[in-house]
Amino acid sequence: MKELLLLNISGPDRPGLTASITGVLSSHLIPVLDIGQAVIHDHLALGMLVEIPSGSDSAAIMKDLLFKAHTLGLQLTFTPVTETEYARWVDEQGKTRHLLSLLGRRITAEHLGQVTAIVAAHGLNIDTINRLSGRVPLENGTESDITKACVEFSVRGTLQNEAKFREELLIVTDTLGIDIAFQEDNIFRRNRRLVVFDMDSTVITSEVIDELALEAGAGAEVAAVTERAMRGELDFSESLRLRVSKLAGLDESVLERVAKRLQLTEGAETLFGRLHNLGFKTAILSGGFTYFGRYLQKKLNVDYVYANELEIENGKLTGRVIGEVVDGKRKAELLEHIATKENIRLEQTIAVGDGANDLPMLAKAGLGIAFRAKPIVRESARQAISTLGLDAILYLMGFRDRDSV
């Protein structure tokens, strides 16, 4: 009668250990049904599920394995697995899996403890845990030096109440100051091809219209309207026309002056550079203005820019915009338009924004991310990043810091 054994091997890592163990199994013609390995701080943890065929001398095989492990300085344990247990494991193949990502300036035991407790309480099982962020040196290792951290869990199981699960995770993000993303692990997650961005307070740190209003002497008045529009308290198109009207008479030379003082959001150059090198298409879909979108297009090598066009006559802003306003509805339409043009499925798209007018495109994209967003946006979007820079989006796409291109 055949036997199923789970082998757990641990000890100091060095080249050739796996080859040595599998060499013993090979000499006995033992099939390997499953295998997994991790190395943490030069310490090996290797697991193998093997089948001992009927008629084989399992005692002799285990003796050879134990001797080999001893000579290599490794610990080796055997756990019998029943055929019923194995069949149940096989039946789980193909079932829905999710990825849960913890993102912050640093990840602590408290973060891990609270999140994993919620995972367990909802009946999910953690299969693997991976660190996607780089290694942190001890030298000058103060908290301010730790720029970003991300740990990713692969979890298995069916959520009975996903809304409550997400609500509990959101409480942890608010109380502990980290971000938590929860997304289905599917083929599209590993095959994104288009990333679209809001511009103001997303790719750049400011709202351009507020900067222009400062030049026109209406800064406080316009900034108050902008804030209400981004929170979803005002119709965007109406608020835009109201704010732009305050710019009437402003000299067009002001546009260049404002563009030169715009500050890119943390991680923007890294993110756009990586996306470009990897062949992604990128777009800015902005309720702001074309002039500044074009400026960023050259700076960041962006493929598409859609924004609002300021009307200029005789070198002066008229206080009006030309053509169709790029509002929330239009952003979602443009996302779909670009995806169709590039022959990209919507499931392969990512949308990033901070304001209420970004919600339609965040909902339409395969992965919608509220970035340093207003409360209504953060609560409505399925994913949110508030503690790190734009390049943290790479973690949600499955990239590690070491995956440089």
Side-chain angles (χ1 to χ4, degrees):
M1 181 177 177
K2 64 184 178 184
E3 297 179 66
L4 302 178
L5 291 176
L6 178 62
L7 314 182
N8 288 292
I9 303 114
S10 62
D13 186 41
R14 62 180 184 275
L17 295 183
T18 303
S20 297
I21 296 296
T22 54
V24 174
L25 295 172
S26 176
S27 68
H28 289 277
L29 303 178
I30 301 300
V32 176
L33 304 176
D34 194 20
I35 185 169
Q37 177 176 306
V39 176
I40 300 177
H41 193 62
D42 295 330
H43 192 89
L44 170 75
L46 171 63
M48 285 188 284
L49 181 62
V50 301
E51 177 187 341
I52 310 298
S54 300
S56 297
D57 187 348
S58 59
I61 297 168
M62 287 188 279
K63 179 181 177 182
D64 288 349
L65 285 169
L66 286 168
F67 179 77
K68 177 60 70 174
H70 176 73
T71 61
L72 296 171
L74 300 174
Q75 299 291 322
L76 171 61
T77 61
F78 302 93
T79 303
V81 175
T82 67
E83 291 191 23
T84 300
E85 291 170 332
Y86 181 77
R88 184 172 63 247
W89 175 74
V90 171
D91 287 342
E92 291 177 350
Q93 187 171 237
K95 288 189 176 180
T96 300
R97 292 175 181 269
H98 287 82
L99 296 168
L100 190 151
S101 306
L102 273 65
L103 306 98
R105 294 299 172 182
R106 60 174 183 162
I107 302 297
T108 69
E110 184 178 15
H111 299 150
L112 296 169
Q114 291 205 22
V115 171
T116 54
I118 293 172
V119 169
H122 284 266
L124 299 179
N125 188 68
I126 299 171
D127 283 338
T128 61
I129 304 175
N130 292 301
R131 172 178 48 81
L132 302 187
S133 50
R135 299 176 182 178
V136 180
L138 289 178
E139 301 80 48
N140 302 317
T142 64
E143 182 175 344
S144 61
D145 293 325
I146 302 174
T147 57
K148 55 185 178 177
C150 178
V151 175
E152 180 184 87
F153 299 80
S154 175
V155 299
R156 171 172 39 89
T158 302
L159 280 172
Q160 300 302 317
N161 190 337
E162 184 172 342
K164 188 173 188 299
F165 177 72
R166 288 183 177 275
E167 180 183 341
E168 291 176 8
L169 292 179
L170 188 60
I171 292 172
V172 173
T173 67
D174 289 338
T175 56
L176 297 185
I178 58 171
D179 294 318
I180 306 172
F182 184 72
Q183 58 180 312
E184 185 178 345
D185 185 12
N186 56 33
I187 190 172
F188 298 115
R189 190 255 184 174
R190 299 182 294 276
N191 192 28
R192 309 291 187 191
R193 294 177 54 198
L194 169 66
V195 190
V196 305
F197 300 85
D198 172 48
M199 179 172 68
D200 299 37
S201 297
T202 299
V203 177
I204 56 176
T205 59
S206 57
E207 295 284 336
V208 168
I209 196 165
D210 293 351
E211 296 296 317
L212 292 173
L214 285 173
E215 298 286 342
E221 180 183 1
V222 168
V225 176
T226 300
E227 181 66 19
R228 291 186 64 195
M230 292 302 100
R231 290 199 304 260
E233 297 173 4
L234 297 174
D235 176 76
F236 179 82
S237 296
E238 291 181 10
S239 73
L240 177 68
R241 293 187 178 96
L242 173 62
R243 288 176 288 163
V244 171
S245 70
K246 305 298 181 181
L247 308 180
L250 201 62
D251 194 278
E252 69 174 325
S253 63
V254 171
L255 301 181
E256 182 179 2
R257 184 161 69 244
V258 169
K260 287 183 177 178
R261 70 173 184 246
L262 296 179
Q263 297 293 315
L264 291 173
T265 298
E266 175 195 353
E269 288 184 288
T270 299
L271 175 61
F272 277 89
R274 293 280 294 278
L275 292 175
H276 176 73
N277 290 340
L278 290 166
F280 283 78
K281 294 296 181 181
T282 56
I284 288 176
L285 308 181
S286 174
F289 306 114
T290 304
Y291 181 92
F292 304 96
R294 299 296 183 200
Y295 177 84
L296 292 173
Q297 184 175 32
K298 294 178 182 178
K299 193 177 187 71
L300 297 172
N301 202 8
V302 181
D303 294 293
Y304 296 92
V305 169
Y306 291 92
N308 297 301
E309 190 72 39
L310 288 167
E311 184 179 63
I312 300 174
E313 292 181 354
N314 301 318
K316 303 287 185 180
L317 274 65
T318 67
R320 296 186 294 270
V321 293
I322 303 171
E324 184 179 1
V325 171
V326 178
D327 58 7
K329 179 175 178 290
R330 182 61 177 153
K331 286 186 177 186
E333 292 171 348
L334 288 167
L335 165 64
E336 190 165 6
H337 167 73
I338 296 170
T340 300
K341 181 178 178 180
E342 295 289 344
N343 196 28
I344 295 171
R345 295 177 55 141
L346 283 174
E347 294 93 338
Q348 296 175 279
T349 66
I350 299 173
V352 187
D354 74 299
N357 64 319
D358 296 312
L359 283 172
M361 75 173 183
L362 298 187
K364 178 163 283 190
L367 176 62
I369 303 171
F371 179 76
R372 298 184 181 178
K374 309 302 182 288
I376 187 176
V377 183
R378 184 166 170 265
E379 293 167 8
S380 301
R382 293 185 67 78
Q383 314 299 342
I385 295 176
S386 300
T387 62
L388 300 181
L390 270 179
D391 54 340
I393 291 168
L394 293 165
Y395 293 141
L396 301 193
M397 298 166 68
F399 291 102
R400 301 169 181 261
D401 284 350
R402 69 187 186 212
D403 297 331
S404 59
V405 290

